[in-house]
């Protein structure tokens, strides 16, 4: 439709019809016996069965035939035959499940995430979906928060790249195109900063921190063209985000240029009453529409109140028209007026979903997401030696996260299955029962090497899954203690949705391979890496704390006035009496099976003036015996500025693939925009002075050079 046609359509709609477009309900109410909707839930939401029946979008159900049926029924009843929108959480895969987003962060390869998102979109689209509630662009610094698994980590630069890549993967250039779905950037804004890591908790962020660090990735997702944004559950400056007019109207739309559909998170409009910011549902509806929230996800406050608010002159119908126009425009961008079923196709569903090519991509992504935290030479495994695979994850199919809502554990390849596919496995034994310590001890005693597959359950991370302790579950630590007491050659394969306190694991194991929740092809990918078919190359996208008391701990913090100096005597410095300041494993850290030499940083000049560029170079050499990939990272610090800058910030990285003995140059171009920051007067710019540049293999590299910036004010 042309814009003019959309406008004509809007003008022809009744107020009630318009408000219906702004209501979203869960789809399962629509599919009971495939006959129609249930009226019970409508009562619970305080809306009429008709409102429920005419909601302009539904969430959470999939299946080509089913969604085609729902669409057909809906369009028949809808006075203008406006099609319905189908949305769902396709976070890290539809049915082919890729590594969880934090694990994808560890790949340091947004281009690969773009491919994963594109496959997820393809599978979702043939299954009838139009919109995915992804990517989550929340910056995370607190491992207690269960949703860190849904983020790509603690770094605004890396997160921004992933946000844009994922939006491109889901949506492409044209969301109408076959195999594409609309992408929804979430949760706007600051949700990742929930106090004390407790989900839904209050967020306290200064304007500076919000803008300079937290808003960056959302902005990149929006600039990449995301058609939707979702509000967050938290308050910001005491105002729930979902009714926060300044945040949504001034910042999101005004400053960040978002002109798509804004949807509330699930139930969030009504929660503004519980927050103590709206007196009742009616006020919640009024505040929501004033903030510019276009779709109310699953509360009914719009449906029950907007009409009378307009009729009584409390809300200008213009606001409703604006919202509905945005919704109609999205439906139009998806091509639904011409083809309301879009890509839904029961035949294609059978062919495309979980096909070999998709599984292969899932395997590659998983391989690249693993982070080798420790290795004293025991890896890669020599499977000619007697090897015991012990632990609950040896035979577990629960390799997908709690956010893989359309994935199926039965599709996952277990570690055991992957081992059994290898030839000559007569030296391998399995013991998957974590509770039978005697059996585990016996298996360990008789083996040369133990591969111990342990970790969190997938239920321990995700929404409403915050933890106060960051330990590996007690039963599995018992297993590790039992096994390591009788066999010194323990390789821990660690599953988890968040950084954990790994002090004891590190002490007891000769190697630790972090595999997160690796997805459908987890077992294969783990064996590929354990056996050395593929060398591990992942780098941590989030610091692993020494212990929970350090949290939040992140590499790009500020200097205090009294920083602790390495090796210096303690005194009145910023430190703990009982634990170090540094995390156990820092951001950007990860080993491989080979070794790399990174030369000192060479700068092509010592001064950089306005409009100029500077190049920082290193040479990377593979000094080991096997091929490998090093992710060379560049960090910059503005040593002194009108607003203190972090001690270092990631400003570039390159994945360098090297054969043994091979050497390659990694060159990073630095321009003025990379040095710019938000100043106290609200302007963004760079300031003259000293800059430090580090290039190395993690955020702790000391490979440093310095230059001077000479910039016009
Ligand atoms: C609540 C979650 O916060 C959000 O991320 C998700 O998209 C919605 N529920 C819909 O499932």
């Amino acid at each position: 439709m042309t814009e003019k046609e959309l406008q004509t359509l809007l003008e022809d709609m009744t107020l009630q019809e318009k408000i219906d477009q702004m209501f979203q309900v869960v789809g399962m109410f629509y599919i009971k016996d495939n006959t129609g909707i249930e009226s019970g839930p409508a009562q619970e939401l305080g809306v009429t069965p008709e409102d429920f029946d005419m909601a302009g979008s539904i969430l959470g159900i999939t299946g080509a035939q089913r969604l085609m049926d729902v669409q057909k029924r809906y369009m028949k009843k809808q006075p203008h035959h406006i099609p319905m929108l189908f949305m769902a959480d396709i976070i890290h895969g539809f049915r082919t499940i890729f590594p969880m987003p934090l694990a994808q962060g560890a790949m340091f390869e947004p281009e690969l995430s773009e491919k994963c998102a594109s496959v997820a979109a393809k599978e979702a689209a043939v299954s009838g979906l139009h919109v995915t509630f992804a990517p989550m662009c929340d910056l995370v610094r607190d491992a207690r928060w269960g949703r860190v698994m849904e983020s790509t980590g603690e770094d605004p630069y890396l997160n921004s790249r992933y946000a844009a890549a994922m939006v491109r993967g889901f949506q492409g250039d044209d969301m109408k195109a076959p195999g594409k779905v609309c992408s929804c950037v979430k949760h706007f804004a600051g949700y990742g900063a929930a106090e004390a890591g407790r989900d839904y908790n209050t967020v306290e962020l200064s304007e500076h921190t919000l803008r300079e660090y937290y808003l960056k990735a959302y902005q990149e997702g929006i600039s990449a063209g995301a058609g939707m944004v979702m509000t967050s559950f938290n308050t910001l400056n005491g105002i729930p985000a979902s009714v926060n007019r300044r945040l949504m109207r001034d910042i999101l739309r005004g400053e960040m240029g978002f002109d798509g559909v804004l949807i509330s998170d699930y139930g969030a409009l009504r929660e503004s009453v519980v927050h103590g910011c709206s007196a009742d549902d009616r006020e919640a509806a009024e505040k929501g529409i004033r903030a510019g929230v276009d779709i109310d996800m699953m509360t009914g406050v719009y449906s029950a109140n907007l009409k009378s608010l307009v009729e009584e002159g409390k809300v200008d119908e213009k606001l409703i028209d604006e919202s509905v126009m945005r919704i109609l425009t999205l439906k139009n961008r998806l091509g639904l007026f011409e083809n309301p079923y879009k890509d839904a196709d029961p035949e294609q569903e059978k062919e495309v979903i979980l096909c070999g090519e998709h599984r292969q991509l899932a395997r590659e992504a998983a391989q690249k997401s693993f982070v080798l935290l420790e290795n004293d030479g025991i890896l890669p495994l020599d499977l000619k030696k007697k090897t015991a695979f012990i632990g609950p994850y040896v035979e577990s199919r629960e390799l997908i996260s709690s956010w893989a809502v359309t994935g199926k554990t039965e599709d996952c390849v277990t570690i055991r299955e992957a081992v059994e596919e290898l030839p000559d496995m007569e030296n391998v034994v399995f013991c998957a029962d974590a509770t039978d310590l005697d059996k585990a001890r016996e298996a360990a005693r008789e083996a040369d090497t133990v591969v111990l597959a342990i970790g969190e359950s997938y239920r321990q991370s995700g929404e409403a899954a915050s933890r106060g302790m960051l330990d590996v579950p007690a039963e599995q630590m018992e297993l590790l203690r039992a096994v390591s007491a009788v066999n010194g050659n323990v390789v821990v394969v660690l599953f988890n949705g968040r950084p954990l306190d790994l002090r004891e694991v590190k002490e007891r194991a000769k190697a630790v391979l972090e595999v997160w929740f690796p997805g459908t092809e987890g077992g294969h990918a783990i064996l590929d890496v354990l056996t050395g078919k593929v060398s591990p190359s992942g780098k941590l996208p989030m610091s692993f704390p020494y212990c929970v008391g350090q949290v939040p701990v992140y590499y790009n913090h500020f200097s205090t006035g009294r920083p602790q100096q390495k090796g210096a005597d303690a005194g009145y410095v910023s430190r703990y009496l009982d634990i170090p300041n540094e995390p156990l494993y820092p951001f950007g850290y990860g080993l491989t099976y080979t070794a790399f030499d990174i030369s000192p940083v060479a700068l092509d000049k010592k001064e950089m003036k306005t409009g100029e560029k500077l190049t920082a170079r290193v040479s990377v050499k593979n000094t080991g015996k096997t091929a490998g990939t090093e992710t060379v990272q560049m960090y910059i610090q503005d040593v002194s500025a009108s607003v203190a800058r972090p001690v270092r910030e990631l400003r570039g990285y390159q994945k360098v693939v090297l054969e043994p003995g091979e050497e390659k140059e990694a060159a990073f171009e630095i321009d003025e925009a990379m040095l710019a920051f938000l100043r106290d007067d609200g302007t963004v710019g760079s300031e003259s002075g000293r800059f430090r540049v580090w290039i190395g293999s993690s955020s702790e590299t000391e490979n440093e050079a310095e230059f001077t910036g000479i910039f016009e004010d």
Side-chain angles (χ1 to χ4, degrees):
M1 274 201 204
T2 61
E3 216 182 309
K4 207 162 156 233
E5 286 167 329
L6 285 179
Q7 195 57 47
T8 312
L9 169 63
L10 180 69
E11 279 159 22
D12 203 46
M13 289 165 77
T14 62
L15 179 56
Q16 183 58 51
E17 228 185 315
K18 292 187 228 173
I19 294 168
D20 289 339
Q21 289 297 310
M22 301 172 71
F23 183 28
Q24 174 168 101
V25 293
V26 292
M28 61 197 179
F29 301 129
Y30 282 75
I31 54 171
K32 208 184 170 210
D33 303 329
N34 247 4
T35 50
I37 63 151
E38 294 182 73
S39 55
Q43 272 165 18
E44 270 165 42
L45 287 184
V47 301
T48 65
E50 290 74 39
D51 291 334
F52 216 76
D53 208 16
M54 296 312 299
S57 61
I58 58 175
L59 83 147
I61 58 167
T62 62
Q65 195 55 55
R66 172 192 280 171
L67 291 182
M68 285 163 83
D69 292 346
V70 171
Q71 187 72 293
K72 205 170 189 178
R73 277 205 309 270
Y74 178 79
M75 287 178 68
K76 235 191 227 166
K77 308 177 285 209
Q78 213 291 332
H80 289 88
H81 311 295
I82 297 172
M84 192 182 228
L85 273 174
F86 301 132
M87 312 193 187
D89 291 283
I90 308 305
I91 309 297
H92 55 112
F94 178 79
R95 178 88 180 256
T96 308
I97 302 300
F98 300 99
M100 62 184 217
L102 190 63
Q104 292 193 34
M107 302 184 314
F108 271 66
E109 198 172 324
E111 301 77 11
L112 189 52
S113 281
E114 183 172 338
K115 287 189 194 159
C116 297
S118 160
V119 162
K122 206 168 175 182
E123 294 192 358
V126 294
S127 180
L129 287 174
H130 306 141
V131 178
T132 176
F133 296 133
M136 181 178 109
C137 302
D138 302 317
L139 185 80
V140 293
R141 292 173 168 178
D142 192 327
R144 291 170 297 183
W145 194 46
R147 302 194 77 167
V148 301
M149 54 125 317
E150 267 182 89
S151 137
T152 47
E154 73 186 33
D155 184 67
Y157 174 85
L158 193 62
N159 285 358
S160 297
R161 254 121 219 97
Y162 275 103
M166 288 181 184
V167 170
R168 278 196 304 270
F170 288 127
Q171 253 187 225
D173 298 331
D174 176 10
M175 59 174 95
K176 193 186 284 164
K180 291 295 166 200
V181 293
C182 167
S183 166
C184 175
V185 159
K186 68 188 188 184
H187 307 84
F188 199 77
Y191 185 33
E195 261 185 11
R198 182 156 48 77
D199 206 2
Y200 315 125
N201 205 5
T202 309
V203 164
E204 274 300 328
L205 287 174
S206 70
E207 188 81 12
H208 183 82
T209 301
L210 172 75
R211 287 172 179 277
E212 186 69 353
Y213 307 101
Y214 280 79
L215 292 188
K216 291 263 156 95
Y218 308 113
Q219 176 71 73
E220 286 301 314
I222 290 163
S223 303
M228 268 181 68
V229 167
M230 186 186 293
T231 69
S232 56
F233 285 125
N234 55 283
T235 57
L236 213 55
N237 297 322
I239 303 173
S242 304
V243 295
N244 194 322
R245 192 171 163 178
R246 190 171 81 89
L247 180 66
M248 299 304 172
R249 290 239 181 235
D250 301 349
I251 299 181
L252 176 67
R253 295 207 188 273
E255 295 179 29
M256 295 170 75
F258 177 64
D259 61 1
V261 171
L262 179 61
I263 187 167
S264 77
D265 201 347
Y266 197 109
L269 280 182
R270 178 165 282 148
E271 284 172 23
S272 69
V273 179
V274 190
H275 276 294
C277 225
S278 301
D280 49 25
D281 282 5
R282 193 174 160 76
E283 198 180 0
E286 189 178 338
K287 287 193 168 175
I289 188 79
R290 286 193 195 288
V293 173
D294 303 317
I295 300 181
D296 167 11
M297 192 197 293
M298 215 31 208
T299 76
V301 304
Y302 274 1
S303 287
N305 299 291
L306 280 184
K307 192 154 180 257
S308 60
L309 283 167
V310 171
E311 283 164 358
E312 288 164 26
K314 292 244 165 62
V315 165
D316 191 337
E317 193 170 345
K318 249 178 51 202
L319 289 183
I320 301 203
D321 285 349
E322 278 171 21
S323 284
V324 176
M325 191 58 180
R326 287 193 282 261
I327 297 167
L328 295 177
T329 303
L330 177 60
K331 292 184 175 184
N332 195 39
R333 281 181 74 192
L334 282 157
L336 298 184
F337 288 106
E338 289 76 32
N339 176 10
Y341 307 113
K342 195 165 186 301
D343 304 321
D345 184 334
E347 286 313 308
Q348 279 280 304
E349 238 178 345
K350 284 182 216 139
E351 263 175 50
V352 166
I353 290 178
L354 211 61
C355 64
E357 199 188 315
H358 293 182
R359 275 191 176 271
Q360 189 47 44
L361 185 67
R363 185 167 176 166
E364 182 191 347
Q367 291 163 350
K368 288 182 168 170
S369 73
F370 300 160
V371 185
L372 185 64
L373 297 174
E374 299 288 337
N375 186 18
D376 80 344
I378 193 171
L379 287 179
L381 284 180
D382 178 358
L383 286 175
K384 287 200 191 70
K385 289 188 179 161
K386 279 192 165 173
T387 309
F389 284 82
I390 300 177
Y393 272 108
V394 170
E395 289 179 9
S396 174
R397 290 190 197 282
E398 296 186 340
L399 308 183
I400 58 181
S401 84
S402 57
W403 270 113
V405 291
T406 46
K408 291 198 175 8
T409 50
E410 71 218 41
D411 299 331
C412 292
V413 179
T414 67
I415 293 181
R416 181 173 183 151
E417 284 165 348
V419 174
E420 285 173 344
E421 282 175 19
L422 300 172
D424 310 325
M425 282 301 108
E426 61 272 8
N427 286 326
V428 174
V429 294
F430 301 98
C431 173
D433 183 358
T435 55
D436 195 338
L437 293 186
D438 287 337
K439 235 173 122 191
R441 245 183 244 118
E442 199 185 307
R445 208 175 276 124
E446 284 171 16
D448 296 313
T449 311
V450 174
V451 176
L452 191 68
I454 55 174
E456 283 186 311
S457 150
Y458 76 93
R459 293 179 200 84
Q460 286 180 287
S461 57
E463 189 178 348
S466 295
R467 294 185 63 196
M469 305 295 282
L470 294 177
D471 44 3
V472 173
E475 193 182 64
Q476 294 170 58
M477 283 310 291
E478 282 307 308
L479 188 64
L480 172 59
R481 287 180 197 122
V483 162
S484 62
V486 298
N487 190 322
N489 294 325
V490 177
V491 173
V492 167
V493 176
L494 190 72
F495 294 77
N496 47 12
R498 54 156 67 73
L500 293 173
D501 171 351
L502 296 179
R503 282 173 294 163
E504 192 179 339
V505 173
K506 173 180 157 133
E507 225 170 77
R508 291 183 179 275
K510 283 213 166 145
V512 181
L513 183 68
E514 168 63 69
V515 298
W516 318 100
F517 286 106
T520 312
E521 282 292 314
H524 281 144
I526 289 167
L527 258 288
D528 292 339
V529 171
L530 285 179
T531 57
K533 186 175 159 198
V534 174
S535 183
S537 60
K539 298 280 189 177
L540 292 180
M542 198 177 169
S543 308
F544 272 44
Y546 179 84
C547 66
V548 73
Q550 271 186 341
V551 169
V553 58
Y554 48 94
Y555 85 93
N556 47 354
H557 58 83
F558 295 100
S559 174
T560 65
R562 295 180 177 195
Q564 190 182 29
Q565 304 295 345
K566 268 190 196 146
D569 279 349
Y572 286 85
V573 297
S574 181
R575 64 171 184 128
Y576 298 102
L577 292 178
D578 48 357
I579 58 169
N581 284 3
E582 292 76 30
L584 193 64
Y585 300 110
F587 175 87
Y589 169 84
L591 307 170
T592 65
Y593 291 155
T594 186
F596 298 101
D597 234 21
I598 301 179
S599 71
V601 181
L603 302 179
D604 66 346
K605 49 187 172 209
K606 282 283 176 192
E607 282 183 3
M608 177 176 162
K609 300 205 176 80
T610 301
E612 288 180 0
K613 286 182 178 157
L614 184 149
T615 305
R617 285 192 174 81
V618 291
S619 179
V620 190
K621 184 168 184 189
N622 182 346
T623 55
K625 293 197 176 65
T626 52
T629 302
E630 179 61 297
T631 303
V632 188
Q633 303 150 44
M634 178 180 72
Y635 297 86
I636 298 184
Q637 182 198 21
D638 185 340
V639 179
S640 145
S642 58
V643 177
R645 308 295 301 141
V647 292
R648 61 178 68 184
E649 293 178 287
L650 185 71
R651 284 289 178 262
Y653 56 83
Q654 283 177 34
K655 289 183 94 162
V656 187
V657 185
L658 294 170
E659 292 299 319
E662 199 186 357
E663 188 166 358
K664 276 186 196 159
E665 185 187 82
F668 296 87
E669 206 167 69
I670 301 172
D671 61 23
E672 204 182 328
M674 286 163 80
L675 311 176
F677 62 93
L678 177 64
R679 294 185 279 217
D680 205 33
D681 62 2
T683 59
V684 174
S686 56
E687 291 178 1
S688 301
R690 283 169 60 209
F691 292 86
R692 291 196 181 113
V693 187
W694 294 263
I695 302 180
S697 61
S698 87
S699 62
E700 282 190 349
T701 176
E702 293 184 351
N703 192 24
E704 182 192 332
E706 202 174 300
F707 68 91
T708 305
I710 304 168
F711 306 124
E712 288 154 16
D713 284 339

